């Protein structure tokens, strides 16, 4: 892959650079107005990407001033692009906001990443395809994205999942914590399998007569997701630092010598 991004909590140091990872700083939000809100970062911080979410934003207003604020912060921090970590479908002015960002990033030579639901607003942005699926295969999902957007515009958004489904499974399961998963596996001692199509581990169990299906990731499964993405021609991927950082030596090739 040409580029691997690491979604990094605000102000946190990382060893990801040794593995060729670009930090995407989780420090910015679109707030009411809309306007750019941010967590205070070290004044000397430069480079990487702005990671922008919109949690709690109702979508009202003219996004032009917010876009100017975003672009100004990117210039000040020497960011080389923006990751729009927006959940759900476009609401209110968010579609227009990403459209304006797409145009300006193209002029500046920056890279913009957007969720697939915003792809129609951003003809030059890279489209983030979630790695989490509960049916079919990840390879088929990514090949469909490449056919639709092309390999240069298709990017893998890696999610480290731990989800509990009622069988028959469909959609997304109920998220469970790392501790809860570990406790359940110690208690049940289930037979754990690896699904090559989903690129994830799973096991089943019964409780109160109801069958459950637990799907979860590990360093091995994350590595397999990246292998599949690379095989189908994707050029970039976004990794979640809080989950993967302690396992980078198992997920990625050895770091470059210092």
């Amino acid at each position: 892959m040409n580029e691997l991004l690491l979604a990094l909590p605000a102000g946190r140091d990382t060893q990801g650079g040794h593995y060729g990872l670009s930090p995407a700083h989780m420090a910015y939000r679109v707030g009411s107005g809309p306007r750019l809100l941010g967590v205070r970062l070290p004044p000397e911080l430069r480079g990487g990407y702005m990671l922008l979410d919109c949690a709690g934003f109702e979508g009202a207003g003219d996004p032009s001033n917010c876009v100017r604020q975003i672009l100004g912060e990117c210039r000040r921090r020497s960011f080389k692009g923006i990751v729009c970590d927006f959940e759900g479908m476009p609401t209110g002015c968010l579609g227009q906001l990403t459209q304006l960002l797409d145009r300006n990033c193209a002029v500046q030579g920056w890279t913009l990443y957007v969720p697939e639901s915003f792809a129609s607003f951003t003809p030059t942005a890279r489209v983030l395809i979630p790695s989490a699926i509960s049916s079919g295969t990840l390879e088929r999902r990514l090949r469909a994205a490449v056919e639709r957007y092309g390999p240069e515009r298709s990017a893998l958004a890696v999610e480290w999942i731990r989800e509990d489904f009622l069988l028959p499974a469909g959609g997304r399961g109920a998220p469970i914590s790392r501790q809860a998963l570990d406790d359940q596996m110690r208690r049940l001692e289930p037979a754990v399998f690896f699904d090559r199509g989903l690129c994830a581990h799973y096991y089943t169990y019964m409780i109160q007569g109801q069958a459950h299906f637990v799907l979860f990731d590990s360093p091995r499964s994350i590595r397999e997701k990246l292998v599949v993405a690379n095989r189908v021609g994707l050029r970039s991927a976004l990794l979640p630092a809080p989950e993967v950082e302690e396992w980078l030596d198992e997920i990625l090739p050895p770091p470059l010598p210092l």
Side-chain angles (χ1 to χ4, degrees):
M1 285 189 177
N2 293 347
E3 185 168 51
L4 291 173
L5 280 63
L6 187 67
L8 195 67
R12 179 169 158 183
D13 291 329
T14 178
Q15 297 299 311
H18 298 319
Y19 295 84
L21 302 177
S22 297
H25 302 285
M26 303 165 63
Y28 300 94
R29 175 169 295 174
V30 177
S32 60
R35 68 186 188 279
L36 178 65
L37 305 177
V39 176
R40 189 178 299 276
L41 292 171
E44 68 278 5
L45 186 145
R46 295 291 185 276
Y49 283 77
M50 170 188 286
L51 194 147
L52 183 67
D53 74 40
C54 62
F57 177 57
E58 72 284 355
D62 181 342
S64 301
N65 187 56
C66 184
V67 168
R68 284 192 288 270
Q69 293 173 335
I70 292 169
L71 298 175
E73 177 70 0
C74 288
R75 294 189 191 98
R76 188 171 74 87
R77 294 285 187 181
S78 299
F79 290 151
K80 56 183 179 180
I82 303 164
V83 179
C84 292
D85 186 24
F86 298 164
E87 295 187 2
M89 300 302 294
T91 300
C93 70
L94 283 176
Q96 184 184 0
L97 184 145
T98 56
Q99 186 177 56
L100 291 171
L101 288 178
D102 187 53
R103 293 174 184 170
N104 282 276
C105 284
V107 170
Q108 296 289 334
W110 299 340
T111 304
L112 176 67
Y113 289 84
V114 298
E116 190 170 18
S117 57
F118 285 79
S120 63
F121 297 96
T122 55
T124 67
R126 293 183 182 174
V127 181
L128 291 163
I129 309 299
S131 68
I133 58 173
S134 58
S135 61
T137 72
L138 180 60
E139 181 162 348
R140 189 179 304 127
R141 174 75 177 89
L142 296 182
R143 286 194 184 280
V146 168
E147 289 177 7
R148 183 169 185 179
Y149 307 112
E152 292 289 348
R153 290 193 62 214
S154 301
L156 180 66
V158 174
E159 299 178 64
W160 190 303
I161 61 168
R162 303 179 196 90
E163 296 184 354
D164 190 320
F165 299 80
L166 288 174
L167 289 176
R172 299 298 298 264
I176 56 179
S177 69
R178 178 175 178 175
Q179 185 62 54
L181 177 65
D182 292 344
D183 290 346
Q184 187 179 80
M185 291 183 69
R186 278 194 297 268
R187 187 175 70 255
L188 299 178
E189 298 183 348
V192 177
F193 304 93
F194 186 76
D195 189 301
R196 293 190 176 277
L198 301 178
C199 295
H201 306 273
Y202 72 93
Y203 62 87
T204 60
Y205 70 96
M206 296 287 295
I207 183 170
Q208 298 178 344
Q210 178 65 61
H212 287 248
F213 169 79
V214 176
L215 194 65
F216 66 98
D217 277 314
S218 71
R220 174 194 172 187
S221 67
I222 300 298
R223 184 175 65 248
E224 289 298 320
K225 294 177 200 292
L226 292 174
V227 167
V228 170
N230 195 58
R231 183 165 66 238
V232 304
L234 269 66
R235 302 292 193 267
S236 53
L238 175 67
L239 298 166
E243 299 283 10
V244 308
E245 199 164 25
E246 65 179 292
W247 307 108
L248 288 177
D249 58 340
E250 297 185 37
I251 294 171
L252 299 174
L256 299 172
L258 296 176

